[in-house]
Amino acid sequence: MQSISNRQLFLSHVAQTSPAPIGLEIVRAEGCYQYDAAGRRWLDLISGFSVCNIGHGHLRVVDAVKKQAEAYMHLIVYGEFIETPQVAYAQLLAEHLPPSLNTVYFTNSGAEATEGAMKLAKRATNRSKIIAFNKSYHGSTQGALSLMGDEYWRNAFRPLLPDVHHFDYGTEAVLGAIDDTTACVILETVQAESGINKPPAGWLQAIRQKCTQHGVLMILDEIQAGFGRTGTLWAFGQYNVVPDVLLLGKALGGGMPLGAFIASNKLMSLLTHNPVLGHITTFGGHPVSCAAGKAALEVLLEGGYIANVNNKEQLIVKHLQHHAIQQIRTAGLWASLRFANAETNQQVVHACVKAGLITDWFLFAPDCLRFAPPLIITDEEMIHACETIVGVVEEVCGNV
Ligand code: PLP
């Protein structure tokens, strides 16, 4: 009997969301590299979508996972027992955040953090109007999907949340819409899936001012932008604003599933009454995830990796030069390379995989290649990656 390949089993039994999955079969990952069974390695240039900011398999993280798994895993639903890994991680996060962001609600995912934050905004303001932005992504559950900044992805799942209003990111029009009927404005500090879009100078501050004036919660999503990706631990520090609620995920768990919405203790305490148990989760803040996340954050901070992000950003700009790359947008160690069209980008992405580099495209910018390596990447690895990409682009685009 002919044996069925793992690829066939993957396609038959694991639900697919894309007609063309990358389909690598990795057996081990360490540092900036992922390895297949034959020992072939790929340099990870997307960090599992900004999750593995300290690379793969860091021993301190693995050790924290093992120790916590041995001590205990699930005990009881969220918020009932004092679980030391949650307490210790929440405390560490609070130490590195402004004083008004001192209370952490741990969730399982980024989308669930978005959901919790929207509920908190409705509960705090008793209003329903939510302002979001075109080309934004905050998760795939129905509330978060209602915020998603493109009708193509929303349409098949309507009806979604009512009273959600979308504006173009970085434009003045939104300011007039923030009023006494608005519960929250939710946006990414730096837009990720539009192909790295930084806010214009003063824009976030203008939103902050309007929100304060009208009692509206400003919710910043740093699920991709956080944990040093943009050159500071939190991106909002570069724009002189402090949100009422901060959303974290991805790198938060150090490779384990974890999300969080973070606010003041006063605001968060609204979830304790009217109704009691205002947000419930069984596994949110799983002790193993919190232990892993805390260890990963300690490694990130102690390793001084964030201080080198801006130098590495300069390497991207210097070494990723080719006439077929029409634009490079960067925010720290996070870049988007624009090609003539989505087909060219797809060809480049696939040729990169063949050349030993893992890259991808952006949800709202299929013509742009994603470059977001672990922050631990060395200058030599960076230069190698950039030169390989340029070689691939030359091969795919030639003199076109
Ligand atoms: N917000 C942003 C900016 C994201 O990039 C993502 C995921 O890609 C999410 C929210 C949702 O996070 P999750 O996939 O953990 O639900």
Side-chain angles (χ1 to χ4, degrees):
M1 202 173 82
Q2 217 182 9
S3 72
I4 303 172
S5 72
N6 263 1
R7 183 176 172 81
Q8 282 168 306
L9 291 171
F10 165 69
L11 293 174
S12 317
H13 298 303
V14 180
Q16 299 294 312
T17 57
S18 138
I22 299 173
L24 291 178
E25 191 172 355
I26 298 299
V27 297
R28 185 168 72 84
E30 196 181 318
C32 293
Y33 293 93
Q34 301 191 21
Y35 300 81
D36 73 5
R40 178 152 190 232
R41 70 176 191 176
W42 284 264
L43 182 55
D44 186 351
L45 294 184
I46 55 173
S47 311
F49 290 86
S50 302
V51 169
C52 312
N53 284 14
I54 60 156
H56 298 270
H58 195 288
L59 286 182
R60 263 176 74 180
V61 178
V62 173
D63 199 43
V65 167
K66 281 187 189 161
K67 281 208 173 95
Q68 187 53 44
E70 277 165 16
Y72 61 84
M73 291 195 272
H74 181 74
L75 297 179
I76 193 168
V77 294
Y78 182 83
E80 291 299 327
F81 285 5
I82 301 163
E83 298 193 13
T84 310
Q86 283 176 357
V87 177
Y89 196 16
Q91 185 191 11
L92 180 65
L93 287 164
E95 277 169 17
H96 289 88
L97 283 163
S100 59
L101 295 173
N102 60 0
T103 303
V104 182
Y105 192 119
F106 286 115
T107 62
N108 299 285
S109 66
E112 197 190 322
T114 305
E115 299 288 341
M118 283 193 286
K119 284 172 65 184
L120 185 59
K122 286 177 155 182
R123 171 69 180 83
T125 62
N126 202 22
R127 304 168 185 169
S128 62
K129 178 173 158 187
I130 292 178
I131 291 180
F133 292 87
N134 293 323
K135 299 187 181 177
S136 284
Y137 182 68
H138 300 287
S140 205
T141 50
Q142 293 200 56
L145 180 65
S146 308
L147 307 174
M148 191 164 179
D150 193 315
E151 184 57 17
Y152 169 75
W153 273 278
R154 295 189 301 247
N155 197 271
F157 305 104
R158 288 196 176 281
L160 293 169
L161 273 188
D163 220 1
V164 177
H165 304 263
H166 288 89
F167 290 84
D168 283 340
Y169 188 87
T171 59
E172 297 281 308
V174 66
L175 298 177
I178 303 170
D179 58 21
D180 290 346
T181 68
T182 313
C184 62
V185 178
I186 176 162
L187 70 167
E188 294 162 85
T189 313
V190 174
Q191 253 194 345
E193 297 304 321
S194 58
I196 315 292
N197 194 8
K198 291 191 211 173
W203 186 66
L204 290 179
Q205 282 169 305
I207 291 179
R208 174 67 277 178
Q209 228 169 20
K210 276 284 198 172
C211 285
T212 305
Q213 191 184 339
H214 293 283
V216 175
L217 296 198
M218 181 180 188
I219 303 173
L220 284 182
D221 178 341
E222 296 218 1
I223 288 169
Q224 273 198 64
F227 292 94
R229 180 57 57 194
T230 66
T232 48
L233 183 57
W234 317 117
F236 67 78
Q238 295 171 37
Y239 298 96
N240 288 320
V241 288
V242 175
D244 297 296
V245 186
L246 177 67
L247 306 184
L248 297 178
K250 298 212 184 257
L252 176 70
M256 294 292 287
L258 194 63
F261 57 107
I262 304 179
S264 70
N265 193 269
K266 184 166 173 235
L267 201 50
M268 208 63 102
S269 68
L270 293 171
L271 296 177
T272 64
H273 57 283
N274 194 25
V276 64
L277 301 172
H279 193 68
I280 303 175
T281 166
T282 299
F283 288 123
H286 194 282
V288 177
S289 298
C290 285
K294 176 169 175 282
L297 177 54
E298 285 165 352
V299 169
L300 181 69
L301 295 171
E302 289 166 23
Y305 301 112
I306 299 175
N308 291 324
V309 161
N310 292 123
N311 288 341
K312 298 205 168 93
E313 181 177 12
Q314 294 314 313
L315 291 179
I316 300 176
V317 177
K318 183 170 167 206
H319 291 277
L320 277 174
Q321 296 288 335
H322 190 279
H323 63 83
I325 301 172
Q326 298 186 344
Q327 187 192 34
I328 302 184
R329 294 209 292 220
T330 61
L333 196 34
W334 201 17
S336 160
L337 318 185
R338 168 161 296 139
F339 293 97
N341 50 50
E343 292 70 37
T344 306
N345 188 38
Q346 285 294 336
Q347 284 171 15
V348 172
V349 166
H350 284 117
C352 278
V353 172
K354 279 195 186 135
L357 305 177
I358 299 173
T359 71
D360 207 356
W361 47 289
F362 292 91
L363 209 50
F364 307 115
D367 54 345
C368 294
L369 181 139
R370 185 189 301 263
F371 188 99
L375 308 188
I376 61 165
I377 192 169
T378 63
D379 287 2
E380 293 68 35
E381 285 166 334
M382 280 286 295
I383 293 168
H384 163 74
C386 293
E387 288 176 349
T388 308
I389 291 174
V390 169
V392 162
V393 173
E394 178 62 24
E395 193 185 296
V396 169
C397 304
N399 290 324
V400 178

